[in-house]
Amino acid sequence: TMSLNSSTLLNEENVQGAKRNTECLESLLQAPSSFQDNPLQQLQLASQEVLEKAKKSGRSKCPRCNSSRMFYCYTCFVPVETVPTKEIPTVKLPLKIDIIKHPNETDGKSTAVHAKLLAPDDVTIYKYPCIPEYEEKRHEIALIFPGPNSVSVKDIAFHLQKYTKKGVCASDDDCSREPLFKQAKIEPEEEKNPNEGISSSSSEGTRLKKIIFIDSTWNQTNKIITDERLQGLLQIELKTRKTCFWRHQKGKPDTYLSTIEAIYYFLVDYHQEVLKENYKGQYDNLLFFFSFMYTLIKDAKCCAGKE
């Protein structure tokens, strides 16, 4: 969590977290030495000097709610006073992202806010059960979640063909209207145009315009994934990536990623497998905060002799 300094972070990390972090590094023994030290080191990131300075100066105030935070406010989704917004990179995404957050998910432990901070124009965070109705947009939306009916990223276009406008909408007018909401959004000031999406030239072969991610511990996801508003959506599973999250959940496979990792790896795969374009680090800055915290916690553990 970004609200804590490095010493507090170290104290709060449990034995399982330390073990998970060590296993993640050990899995990279065959890689170059620099990559062993930090598997995120190869990312093309903006300068993290602003975070280094903020770490040294300690906690600061949120400019909106005045709460004391480290790096950013996880409730207002803005950097703190010691982290100028102009020094934080902005990432433009090829499609819109909705993050559905479990109400019991601890705000300070969630990585979902990273996406909102770094891609503010393309990411919307909802707190369950305040989520949109997706039924009328099923032909252009997919849900990232593992399951028996999940498909791979490269097969998105093929499977979306089953969700035609005619099949999910009474008319074109119905398809173009604003989505319905059972409860108010938590971000009313940032209402998105539902017709926004990637351009037709760059989306050849797919109609995908929005991806949904669930931000929750794996043990709490059942309540959300069984919600009637999410039924019938195409489900995508990311099977080839391994998490380096320091709070990996005990008993779950290492392919179960943190929210920001899932967003990042999906976009990389989508860029290559669906858009058919060479990936040149366009989305690496989504891990701007994550990679910094990974290194901070790893170094703290090393200093404490935990590795």
Side-chain angles (χ1 to χ4, degrees):
T1 172
M2 300 298 171
S3 65
L4 305 172
N5 59 34
S6 58
S7 61
T8 307
L9 279 165
L10 175 59
N11 291 334
E12 77 160 9
E13 294 304 320
N14 56 32
V15 175
Q16 179 63 29
K19 180 181 177 182
R20 179 69 215 118
N21 192 49
T22 303
E23 290 175 349
C24 178
L25 293 174
E26 289 176 347
S27 71
L28 298 161
L29 287 177
Q30 302 304 316
S33 58
S34 61
F35 195 71
Q36 290 178 35
D37 295 336
N38 184 350
L40 305 173
Q41 190 168 307
Q42 304 301 310
L43 297 171
Q44 299 180 42
L45 298 173
S47 172
Q48 293 176 320
E49 183 179 357
V50 62
L51 300 183
E52 290 285 356
K53 290 180 179 178
K55 181 185 71 173
K56 293 177 181 177
S57 61
R59 297 164 72 93
S60 181
K61 285 186 177 182
C62 168
R64 291 189 183 177
C65 69
N66 290 322
S67 297
S68 177
R69 304 283 192 237
M70 192 73 179
F71 302 125
Y72 61 77
C73 180
Y74 45 75
T75 52
C76 298
F77 309 145
V78 294
V80 294
E81 293 177 347
T82 55
V83 182
T85 303
K86 63 181 180 181
E87 295 187 41
I88 299 298
T90 299
V91 184
K92 180 61 181 174
L93 307 185
L95 34 66
K96 301 299 180 181
I97 288 178
D98 281 1
I99 300 174
I100 301 174
K101 195 173 182 300
H102 193 284
N104 294 335
E105 177 73 2
T106 303
D107 289 341
K109 293 184 177 181
S110 170
T111 63
V113 64
H114 299 188
K116 183 61 181 175
L117 284 162
L118 299 163
D121 294 337
D122 298 317
V123 175
T124 305
I125 297 179
Y126 300 90
K127 182 168 287 189
Y128 186 84
C130 306
I131 67 174
E133 296 280 359
Y134 291 110
E135 183 176 2
E136 295 179 355
K137 296 290 182 179
R138 284 191 303 170
H139 58 284
E140 58 189 33
I141 297 176
L143 171 66
I144 303 297
F145 198 82
N149 298 319
S150 298
V151 303
S152 64
V153 174
K154 67 179 181 180
D155 294 327
I156 288 176
F158 173 77
H159 287 279
L160 272 183
Q161 293 175 5
K162 303 174 184 176
Y163 301 90
T164 62
K165 288 187 177 183
K166 183 178 179 180
V168 299
C169 301
S171 68
D172 287 341
D173 289 337
D174 288 338
C175 281
S176 62
R177 72 189 183 197
E178 292 284 342
L180 300 175
F181 298 90
K182 288 197 171 181
Q183 298 189 41
K185 284 178 59 175
I186 63 170
E187 295 179 283
E189 77 281 4
E190 297 186 15
E191 183 68 55
K192 304 294 191 303
N193 181 343
N195 294 319
E196 284 183 356
I198 52 178
S199 65
S200 58
S201 60
S202 64
S203 60
E204 185 176 355
T206 178
R207 295 182 298 275
L208 188 64
K209 292 185 178 181
K210 180 176 288 185
I211 288 289
I212 303 169
F213 292 83
I214 295 176
D215 184 53
S216 166
T217 61
W218 288 101
N219 292 331
Q220 294 176 333
T221 56
N222 188 62
K223 184 176 181 63
I224 296 178
I225 196 63
T226 57
D227 189 285
E228 61 180 7
R229 290 165 289 182
L230 299 181
Q231 302 312 301
L233 292 174
L234 178 65
Q235 286 186 212
I236 311 298
E237 183 170 4
L238 306 174
K239 300 178 180 180
T240 63
R241 313 289 189 173
K242 294 185 178 182
T243 186
C244 283
F245 190 35
W246 46 92
R247 288 195 182 87
H248 183 75
Q249 295 165 52
K250 184 177 181 180
K252 301 301 179 183
D254 57 8
T255 52
Y256 280 22
L257 307 171
S258 66
T259 301
I260 195 63
E261 286 178 299
I263 292 173
Y264 169 73
Y265 286 126
F266 167 79
L267 288 170
V268 172
D269 289 347
Y270 178 82
H271 195 85
Q272 297 172 314
E273 301 285 354
V274 179
L275 298 185
K276 303 296 184 181
E277 297 179 13
N278 292 329
Y279 182 68
K280 300 179 180 179
Q282 291 92 330
Y283 316 121
D284 283 10
N285 274 323
L286 286 174
L287 298 179
F288 180 76
F289 290 106
F290 184 90
S291 63
F292 186 81
M293 289 306 302
Y294 174 90
T295 301
L296 184 66
I297 292 172
K298 173 180 174 292
D299 290 347
K301 287 176 179 176
C302 286
C303 290
K306 285 196 173 186
E307 286 191 24

